[in-house]
Amino acid sequence: RDSVLQFIEQRNPDFTPWEALRHKAILASKDNNYLESARLNEQRFLMDRSDTNASYNSAFQYTRSNMPKKALEMFDATDPRFRDMSSDFSWFEAVAARAHYMLEDFEQVARLATNYSFPKMLSGIANLHMRSLVRLDSVDQLDMVLEDYIDRGIYNMGGNESNARQLYRTICEEAYLHDKAGILKKWIEKYQDWITENLDSTTYGYLNHMARSNFMEGNVEDALSIRNRIEQDSSRIDWIIRDIGWKGSCLAILGDTTQALNLIEYLNEQEYSGLNKDDAHYNMAMIQANLGQKEAAVDNLKLAEENGMTYGVRSGKGDIFLKPLHGYPPFEALMKPRG
């Protein structure tokens, strides 16, 4: 993206109208103004309806802006003869699945995943399929569909093969968030078995997934103990912020209110910029949610949005640490799709 931006800026001020829109869209995205980027990319697409880069970026940015209906409009407006030119996988279907999930149209997500005709199944679509089956209480299909994905292989947006741990995690998270105790009990065990059999117990991956599984199982003290074994890289401010949110949430649940509040205060005192500022407000909201400070948590989520928070499957209502806010009207209003 930066190289494209540099090339375009070198031509300034001799932009064509199309180049000017692309330049503005890239700048808007870099400034975390996803809605403006979506609108600019849509304008670019309307200038050339064969420009699938513009329509995809517009749809993607609309989902990040909590506007899944607009994302689906962009998907539908793109001629399949241009949209489906890739022979390996389709980013468009991934955005469409995400939009349908955000609209809680779980049957449509499952239908889209089942009818996906490209050789490489994208992990994002597979994860949304598993989440949707949980929400539809299609318990009998979970084993069969997961095994099919493992046999076929799942791939990231770059076309590189991924492993199955996200599928197990996805099922457990959805079951935990929506109080499907029977599914959670069965799949937590499968998730932990996969972690133990496939990951080195000294690695970040093992510790992170094992801590998360223990948290969802209700073993919060064990989850915190495991999480404390992760060595933090002091140069990764984003990781440190998220680790504070993780630990603060656990401390709040365990009744260590003083320490949880101290972590909120620490985050509040730091002078973060860019997406780290978004992360700080978001992680303060996580801790406050688990302290029962719902109004303060929603206020911080609004500040996180102002500073670049994106709406997605595992943020907001999809975040296991924000579950205490489910059903709280101001939170539900903030998370409601806007278009």
Side-chain angles (χ1 to χ4, degrees):
R1 184 177 63 182
D2 288 337
S3 61
V4 173
L5 187 61
Q6 183 179 17
F7 170 77
I8 295 175
E9 287 177 337
Q10 287 172 350
R11 297 196 55 192
N12 186 43
D14 300 322
F15 288 155
T16 66
W18 183 92
E19 288 172 337
L21 284 172
R22 186 173 190 187
H23 181 240
K24 291 176 183 178
I26 295 172
L27 287 177
S29 181
K30 285 173 71 71
D31 290 339
N32 308 321
N33 190 344
Y34 308 119
L35 181 55
E36 179 66 10
S37 180
R39 288 169 173 163
L40 289 165
N41 275 299
E42 182 177 7
Q43 291 177 43
R44 186 160 66 98
F45 171 68
L46 292 175
M47 294 176 68
D48 177 3
R49 289 180 176 270
S50 70
D51 186 354
T52 55
N53 177 275
S55 59
Y56 167 78
N57 282 324
S58 178
F60 175 62
Q61 300 287 19
Y62 274 129
T63 60
R64 298 177 91 186
S65 306
N66 200 18
M67 299 184 70
K69 290 182 180 178
K70 282 292 296 182
L72 290 173
E73 286 178 16
M74 294 304 302
F75 176 81
D76 291 338
T78 308
D79 191 317
R81 290 173 295 179
F82 295 111
R83 192 180 70 209
D84 299 339
M85 288 175 69
S86 169
S87 59
D88 290 330
F89 56 87
S90 172
W91 292 356
F92 278 96
E93 269 73 9
V95 173
R98 182 177 179 180
H100 285 301
Y101 177 85
M102 292 172 72
L103 293 167
E104 299 192 358
D105 189 351
F106 306 118
E107 291 185 354
Q108 185 60 32
V109 176
R111 191 175 301 116
L112 188 151
T114 301
N115 294 333
Y116 183 83
S117 60
F118 297 82
K120 291 186 175 182
M121 169 55 74
L122 290 173
S123 58
I125 299 175
N127 286 327
L128 289 167
H129 191 187
M130 305 312 292
R131 286 184 183 274
S132 296
L133 291 176
V134 172
R135 297 293 292 276
L136 292 167
D137 289 315
S138 300
V139 181
D140 56 329
Q141 293 187 45
L142 286 171
D143 283 288
M144 179 182 66
V145 173
L146 183 137
E147 288 302 321
D148 178 58
Y149 283 141
I150 291 175
D151 290 342
R152 290 169 59 186
I154 54 175
Y155 299 82
N156 62 26
M157 296 290 273
N160 300 311
E161 191 164 9
S162 303
N163 60 45
R165 65 182 170 187
Q166 295 295 340
L167 298 176
Y168 290 103
R169 170 179 168 171
T170 280
I171 294 169
C172 294
E173 285 178 341
E174 202 71 16
Y176 172 81
L177 285 165
H178 299 283
D179 300 316
K180 297 183 182 294
I183 296 175
L184 181 62
K185 182 178 180 180
K186 173 182 176 179
W187 285 91
I188 279 285
E189 184 177 345
K190 287 176 174 284
Y191 181 28
Q192 291 176 340
D193 285 346
W194 192 96
I195 297 167
T196 303
E197 292 169 6
N198 292 277
L199 300 177
D200 182 336
S201 63
T202 64
T203 62
Y204 171 84
Y206 175 93
L207 296 171
N208 179 50
H209 284 277
M210 194 59 78
R212 184 171 289 268
S213 68
N214 272 270
F215 181 90
M216 290 187 285
E217 200 173 18
N219 301 325
V220 179
E221 191 169 356
D222 289 343
L224 181 58
S225 177
I226 295 168
R227 184 76 189 186
N228 283 332
R229 289 162 52 192
I230 297 175
E231 293 185 12
Q232 295 299 322
D233 181 349
S234 60
S235 68
R236 290 296 304 270
I237 303 301
D238 53 339
W239 286 18
I240 292 172
I241 293 171
R242 291 164 196 172
D243 190 61
I244 289 172
W246 223 108
K247 292 175 179 177
S249 297
C250 290
L251 290 166
I253 293 169
L254 293 170
D256 193 341
T257 303
T258 300
Q259 187 61 18
L261 289 171
N262 286 341
L263 291 175
I264 293 173
E265 186 63 24
Y266 173 82
L267 289 174
N268 197 40
E269 290 175 349
Q270 305 308 302
E271 295 184 359
Y272 296 120
S273 60
L275 289 179
N276 287 332
K277 193 170 184 179
D278 145 36
D279 275 349
H281 286 297
Y282 189 92
N283 281 272
M284 283 190 279
M286 283 168 47
I287 302 172
Q288 289 164 331
N290 287 288
L291 284 169
Q293 299 177 353
K294 296 183 178 182
E295 183 177 356
V298 171
D299 286 343
N300 261 313
L301 288 174
K302 290 177 180 177
L303 289 170
E305 182 182 50
E306 290 176 13
N307 286 279
M309 179 184 82
T310 62
Y311 287 82
V313 176
R314 291 181 51 228
S315 62
K317 292 190 76 172
D319 191 325
I320 61 174
F321 296 105
L322 292 179
K323 184 181 178 183
L325 297 179
H326 285 205
Y328 179 53
F331 175 73
E332 296 293 339
L334 182 63
M335 294 295 119
K336 185 178 179 181
R338 297 164 193 172

